[in-house]
Amino acid sequence: MEIAQLLNEIEPKVDPEEKPLPPDGKKRRTRNSRNAGVRQGGGFAMRTELYRRFGVDVLQIPGLEQSGLSLLTELGPDLSRFPTVGQFVSWLALCPDNDKSGNRWWRGSRDVNNRAGQIFRQCAHSLHRNQSQLGVYLRRMKSRLGPQGATIAPARKIATIFGSG
């Protein structure tokens, strides 16, 4: 499989034999086992491979169940170019942009074309009917901020969890 060959070229951060993969906390993983275990036909375990490359069990973060491989291709396995999580979130354009024009403050999100930031926004948008704490946070922010702010706020939290791991 081509994906498995390309993943083998990336330097692993964690050896699962030395530091084993944490137990799977997702309830529905058995029903939707696309990322959970080994695929039929000699595939590979996506969850284990992403854990090996990032050093974090990415698929346990709510909203990132289907986007782990996309994040690996967009960001790469090494996030050391961002010294802090805040700089990582700012690069993704998931933080508010304060701008003063005359006597008025303008607050909103920056216009940046960043595919990794868009992946985090899509992951946050998928939490609308999720019963996790991030899903509850999304619905609360939607009633307070409206649809756009409600998407960016949990996307920032997901990116913070992802970047701090």
Side-chain angles (χ1 to χ4, degrees), residues 56-163:
V56 176
D57 192 5
V58 176
L59 300 181
Q60 293 295 311
I61 301 172
L64 291 182
E65 290 89 0
Q66 304 295 326
S67 301
L69 191 60
S70 299
L71 286 173
L72 182 64
T73 58
E74 290 298 326
L75 297 172
D78 188 23
L79 297 178
S80 65
R81 61 184 168 192
F82 305 107
T84 64
V85 177
Q87 290 176 352
F88 175 62
V89 171
S90 178
W91 179 75
L92 293 171
L94 296 176
C95 59
D97 183 28
N98 297 331
D99 189 18
K100 187 172 182 179
S101 175
N103 292 331
R104 300 185 66 176
W105 280 92
W106 176 83
R107 280 188 75 148
S109 60
R110 294 182 292 139
D111 292 330
V112 176
N113 290 333
N114 190 329
R115 290 183 291 206
Q118 185 63 33
I119 291 171
F120 281 111
R121 284 186 196 96
Q122 289 173 348
C123 293
H125 186 72
S126 71
L127 292 173
H128 188 68
R129 293 199 171 128
N130 194 325
Q131 297 302 315
S132 68
Q133 291 179 349
L134 286 173
V136 173
Y137 179 72
L138 171 76
R139 291 186 292 277
R140 189 174 70 231
M141 289 294 111
K142 189 171 184 180
S143 67
R144 183 185 300 173
L145 301 174
Q148 183 183 8
T151 303
I152 292 175
R156 181 182 187 281
K157 284 191 179 267
I158 293 171
T160 302
I161 294 168
F162 178 81

